[in-house]
Amino acid sequence: MRPGRAGRLHLKMKHRLLRVNKLVKRELSGIIAREINFEGALVSINHVDVAADLKNAHVFVSVLGPGNGAEVISKLESNRPLLQMELGRHLTLKYTPHLLFRLDDSIARGSRIIEILREIETPSSEAQ
């Protein structure tokens, strides 16, 4: 059964937002790498979630290395006007989204889970 017109429109909008998310992530990653120095910390953008009206974008950032996540987010927030201006130059969108930075600690949580699993595994292998 084929989706009706409203269903097809919804699928097109969803696909468009996914493309916009990828595009904003790619361009913003390059801009941050060129414009901001985080002194030894590796800062990467894990995900971008642009609102359907293109006015806001939640940017999920992870930090590896000696950098403090709160300091990185603060630095990104203070450089938001520059980042938005550069993003507007590189992208052709109806609106340049307002960037909202969030710390993404999923990598650290995943590492901690792996560490816990290894600790659980170790006593059972010693008993054999």
Side-chain angles (χ1 to χ4, degrees):
M1 188 157 122
R2 291 180 54 194
R5 181 173 181 195
R8 285 192 305 268
L9 182 61
H10 176 73
L11 289 174
K12 283 183 182 179
M13 287 297 291
K14 184 176 181 181
H15 182 68
R16 178 177 175 250
L17 275 178
L18 291 174
R19 288 186 313 176
V20 169
N21 289 342
K22 287 181 184 177
L23 185 61
V24 170
K25 177 184 174 185
R26 185 180 70 220
E27 291 298 327
L28 193 56
S29 294
I31 293 167
I32 289 172
R34 285 189 308 270
E35 301 292 332
I36 303 174
N37 181 12
F38 292 102
E39 294 142 21
L42 177 63
V43 176
S44 64
I45 297 176
N46 290 350
H47 180 68
V48 174
D49 188 18
V50 178
D53 63 1
L54 303 178
K55 291 188 178 180
N56 293 306
H58 292 270
V59 181
F60 297 91
V61 179
S62 66
V63 180
L64 297 173
N68 181 355
E71 291 173 7
V72 168
I73 295 297
S74 176
K75 194 167 193 176
L76 288 169
E77 291 284 342
S78 65
N79 286 295
R80 179 197 341 249
L82 170 72
L83 295 172
Q84 286 179 193
M85 182 181 68
E86 287 296 317
L87 190 62
R89 285 186 187 155
H90 288 87
L91 299 179
T92 304
L93 294 172
K94 186 173 185 178
Y95 303 104
T96 299
H98 178 75
L99 302 174
L100 304 164
F101 295 100
R102 305 281 182 258
L103 187 61
D104 185 1
D105 62 347
S106 60
I107 293 173
R109 283 186 287 137
S111 296
R112 179 67 182 134
I113 289 170
I114 290 170
E115 184 180 312
I116 290 170
L117 290 173
R118 285 184 181 148
E119 289 173 4
I120 291 171
E121 247 179 34
T122 304
S124 63
S125 62
E126 289 175 356
Q128 293 177 357

